Every structure is written in structure tokens, then in C-alpha cells.
Amino acid sequence: MLRDGVLILPADHVWVQPASAADLVEQITPLAQAYLDGTRRLLCLDPAEAPDSQSALNLPALFNDILQTRDLPQMALRHIAPDAPGMRRVISWYQEEHETAKRRNLLRKVATIDNPEPALATLQIIECDAPGAMFAVAPVIDPSRCVGCDACLRICPDEVLTQTTPEQGGLFYETSAAACDGCGLCEDVCDHRAITVRIRQTTPEPVALSEWACKACGVSVHPPLQNRNEDGLCNICARTQHHKKLFQVLDG
Ligand code: SF4
Ligand code: SF4
């Protein structure tokens, strides 16, 4: 049931420095969960100014970008310095809430960092095709490096990356970024460093592919259009040149 409430964020939940995309997803998921539960106000217990570090990310601002690019009502943000009058009492209640799960009238929802539910994906799927729709994290393929091996598509546990067929209007790698949890498996599996999981990313462009048969081994391949091997060899034959030693066919 949706309820209007206030989510209190301590300073270390407002300005975050995620070590990875997965870290960011873990940090922002409680906001998504609270939003889906009806919370529309955030009380940020820190000054509004950014910390010195360039890698610091304002979590409520990013969350509001995700909402705003989907034309959804944004969270109302109120920044309060921890040393502001009365705040010591609020912080003390906040800490008690974590310890005793009481005082729920004041803290209608409390941010936690251990909520594994796919709340972020549920939220991000809304209007995910809108121009400029923002995602907390998303994988981006560099077509100039990609060889079309499909390894990232196969390993992704959330089917974020897919390949379209000619019947669907052409061969493309497409990204459904809403479900990406930033696990980084796609990055790890790519031998060509052609895919990067980025933070604060709009919808990645589809990557147009070209399908053809390797001149040497005959295997059907589908690298990105702009990365077609000039000599008509697949990625493996181009690298190993084994076809010359084994068959002596189609040389030159
Ligand atoms: S991004 Fe890497 S793993 Fe994915 S298809 Fe391209 S080369 Fe293969
Ligand atoms: S493997 Fe899938 S879920 Fe994991 S970071 Fe890559 S695209 Fe996202």
C-alpha cells in the first residue's frame, strides 16, 4: 500500500562514493523501495554542499534524475546539517530506530543498505524508452572494439543485453538497462574490453551488427558494422591465422 512518508538519510547515504556499479545499485535500491512504497520526501542529514572528492555522487539527486527523466513525481529534498537545532534529537531517534525498530511514527521508512529486492528495476522499467531516460547503471558497448562474440549476452544473469533478429527489424545488440544490477560479469567476460558498466547512464544506443561468413573457416559471425574485418576473416581466424597453416585455402 502506498503511503506518504519521510525517508531520513544519514550523511553517508546522501553523498556516496561507490566502489563499483554494483555498490551504487545497493546504495540506491532503498530509495527505490521507499518510493514504490509511497515515500515522497527525503530528509538529508547533511549540508547541501558537495564534499571535496570528485568521485562523490549525490544519491538523492541521481534518484530524482531517474524520476524526472520518466516524468514521475520527484522526491522533495530537504537538507539539514547534523548540527542544526533539534537535529541531534532526530539523529538519536534515527539511531534508535535502527537498533530497536521503534518510533515508526517519526521514521515512516528508514534507509537500509541490505534490501535485495529488485525495486530499482521495477522503478526504472517505467517509461524506460523515454528519450533521455536515466539509469543508475547501464552497460555500454564500444562498437569499435566489440567483435560480436555474444559472451556478454550469454553471461548476463538479468538478460539486460539481447540481440535482435532481421525479423525484428535488423541485427542489433540492444540494452534493457532497467534490470542491470551492475554485477560487472559482462565486463569481466569481455576479452576485448568492449563493454563498460557506467554509472548515471542514459539508454545506450543499439549497436548495429553485420552478419557474414568467415572466408577461412566459414563460420557465421556478426560483429558491429563499423568493426568488420577488412579481409573477411572472423575474429579467431584473423588473430590465429591457423587457416593458412592447416588448409592453405582462400589465401589472399
Ligand atoms: S562487448 Fe565484448 S563480450 Fe560482448 S559481444 Fe562484444 S566482444 Fe563479445
Ligand atoms: S552482466 Fe548484466 S546485470 Fe551484470 S553488469 Fe552486465 S549488463 Fe548489468
Side-chain angles (χ1 to χ4, degrees), residues 141-228:
I141 293 176
D142 177 352
S144 68
R145 285 177 168 269
C146 175
V147 298
C149 70
D150 293 349
C152 55
L153 278 68
R154 287 194 294 267
I155 205 168
C156 176
D158 297 306
E159 298 180 356
V160 170
L161 299 153
T162 52
Q163 183 189 330
T164 59
T165 62
E167 293 72 37
Q168 293 170 309
L171 275 185
F172 292 91
Y173 282 150
E174 283 193 341
T175 308
S176 306
C180 180
D181 64 7
C183 69
L185 285 173
C186 53
E187 274 187 1
D188 290 345
V189 80
C190 182
D191 281 341
H192 302 271
R193 290 194 289 176
I195 185 164
T196 315
V197 183
R198 297 194 186 153
I199 283 173
R200 202 187 183 99
Q201 176 66 42
T202 52
T203 308
E205 289 292 322
V207 175
L209 309 172
S210 65
E211 190 169 35
W212 40 274
C214 171
K215 272 172 58 181
C217 68
V219 164
S220 176
V221 293
H222 49 261
L225 265 177
Q226 68 187 84
N227 203 17
R228 177 170 178 151

Side-chain angles (χ1 to χ4, degrees), residues 60-135:
L62 169 59
F63 189 70
N64 267 349
D65 281 350
I66 291 171
L67 298 173
Q68 189 257 326
T69 53
R70 287 165 176 75
D71 217 11
L72 293 170
Q74 297 179 48
M75 289 279 204
L77 306 184
R78 187 164 174 215
H79 291 268
I80 299 182
D83 57 357
M87 278 304 104
R88 285 181 62 178
R89 194 156 165 244
V90 171
I91 291 170
S92 150
W93 283 342
Y94 174 86
Q95 288 163 345
E96 271 184 47
E97 170 71 12
H98 270 82
E99 288 162 14
T100 66
K102 291 179 180 173
R103 298 186 187 276
R104 295 204 180 276
N105 284 338
L106 173 69
L107 306 172
R108 304 282 289 281
K109 300 288 173 186
V110 175
T112 63
I113 57 168
D114 55 0
N115 189 338
E117 292 181 28
L120 185 63
T122 304
L123 187 62
Q124 290 191 138
I125 199 77
I126 300 170
E127 297 291 339
C128 59
D129 293 330
M134 180 73 73
F135 299 90

